[in-house]
Amino acid sequence: MTFNRATVLVIILSIIGIIILFTSIRIPIGDTITISLIQQKGKISTIDTPIKPEFTTNLSVSSLNFPSENKMLHHKDIGRLGHKKEFFIKATTLMDVKEKGVYLFDVLSDDGFRLTVNDQVFCEYKYTRPMRTTTCTIPLEKKEYRFELLYFQKSGPMGLKVYYKKQNDTKTYFVGDSSAMITFQEPKQ
């Protein structure tokens, strides 16, 4: 079989197009957290502001890692998500604790949040703030738990990252990233 220049050019351009397509599409692997992005109809003043959705976007992510940003919400795996102000994030996952102990959950947020495990509030920051860390100390038995985090963004800079580690350990993990201590999976509908 012989190829002329036009055929070779088409093949090369097709290969380049396929490479560009596959490198620009982010396909999350191992998503363990269900996220509801809730654009609020009206203003949010605290974490206790009643949620009145203008619209809601549901998605799955691999970890609670929404890096600091001045203009728009983005996730490290997905990219920009379009939300700029007056929104809530409700994150839900199942934690299967493999090692009993006291765990520290560090919540870095700009603005407020509420962290619950099996519907029990363990810590929260109710108001607006610049990016700051709140450490939640949670004793966990060897069993499965429902982890939920409610976060709100009023306006301005934003960000949300949640880490965990066993008390007295030095290595931290993002919530959603499984370890020998805790494995995560999306909640069943």
Side-chain angles (χ1 to χ4, degrees):
M1 179 183 335
T2 60
F3 295 105
N4 62 28
R5 287 184 188 185
T7 304
V8 171
L9 183 61
V10 168
I11 291 171
I12 291 171
L13 290 175
S14 297
I15 291 170
I16 291 171
I18 290 169
I19 291 169
I20 290 171
L21 179 66
F22 279 104
T23 57
S24 65
I25 295 175
R26 294 182 182 182
I27 302 171
I29 298 172
D31 291 340
T32 57
I33 301 171
T34 300
I35 299 288
S36 292
L37 291 171
I38 305 160
Q39 184 64 54
Q40 179 78 344
K41 186 183 258 184
K43 302 288 183 192
I44 302 172
S45 55
T46 73
I47 197 70
D48 293 320
T49 301
I51 297 175
K52 297 177 184 170
E54 187 172 316
F55 63 88
T56 300
T57 304
N58 296 309
L59 54 121
S60 297
V61 296
S62 61
S63 63
L64 286 179
N65 184 357
F66 296 87
S68 297
E69 173 84 22
N70 288 325
K71 298 179 183 178
M72 187 181 299
L73 179 69
H74 74 280
H75 188 272
K76 66 128 185 144
D77 292 333
I78 300 170
R80 290 187 173 214
L81 297 166
H83 295 266
K84 295 181 180 179
K85 62 181 181 176
E86 309 293 350
F87 64 86
F88 288 96
I89 292 176
K90 184 177 180 184
T92 308
T93 187
L94 295 178
M95 297 189 307
D96 189 4
V97 176
K98 305 295 185 183
E99 293 181 17
K100 175 184 174 178
V102 176
Y103 288 82
L104 304 178
F105 289 79
D106 288 334
V107 181
L108 287 77
S109 68
D110 175 351
D111 291 311
F113 74 93
R114 176 173 294 131
L115 188 156
T116 61
V117 175
N118 284 358
D119 299 319
Q120 180 182 350
V121 176
F122 277 92
C123 67
E124 63 187 0
Y125 188 86
K126 291 186 174 194
Y127 308 101
T128 62
R129 67 179 182 179
M131 195 71 151
R132 294 283 187 268
T133 301
T134 300
T135 299
C136 311
T137 303
I138 306 175
L140 297 172
E141 297 292 322
K142 215 174 145 179
K143 66 178 193 177
E144 190 172 271
Y145 295 89
R146 184 176 183 83
F147 174 99
E148 290 187 352
L149 187 106
L150 181 64
Y151 160 83
F152 81 91
Q153 169 60 25
K154 179 150 184 64
S155 63
M158 65 187 78
L160 174 67
K161 294 182 179 189
V162 186
Y163 300 93
Y164 74 95
K165 69 177 184 174
K166 202 167 184 183
Q167 192 173 35
N168 301 322
D169 281 356
T170 56
K171 184 165 173 66
T172 61
Y173 304 88
F174 279 107
V175 166
D177 290 343
S178 294
S179 68
M181 300 168 289
I182 298 176
T183 58
F184 295 89
Q185 66 180 0
E186 273 193 291
K188 299 155 187 77
Q189 297 294 343

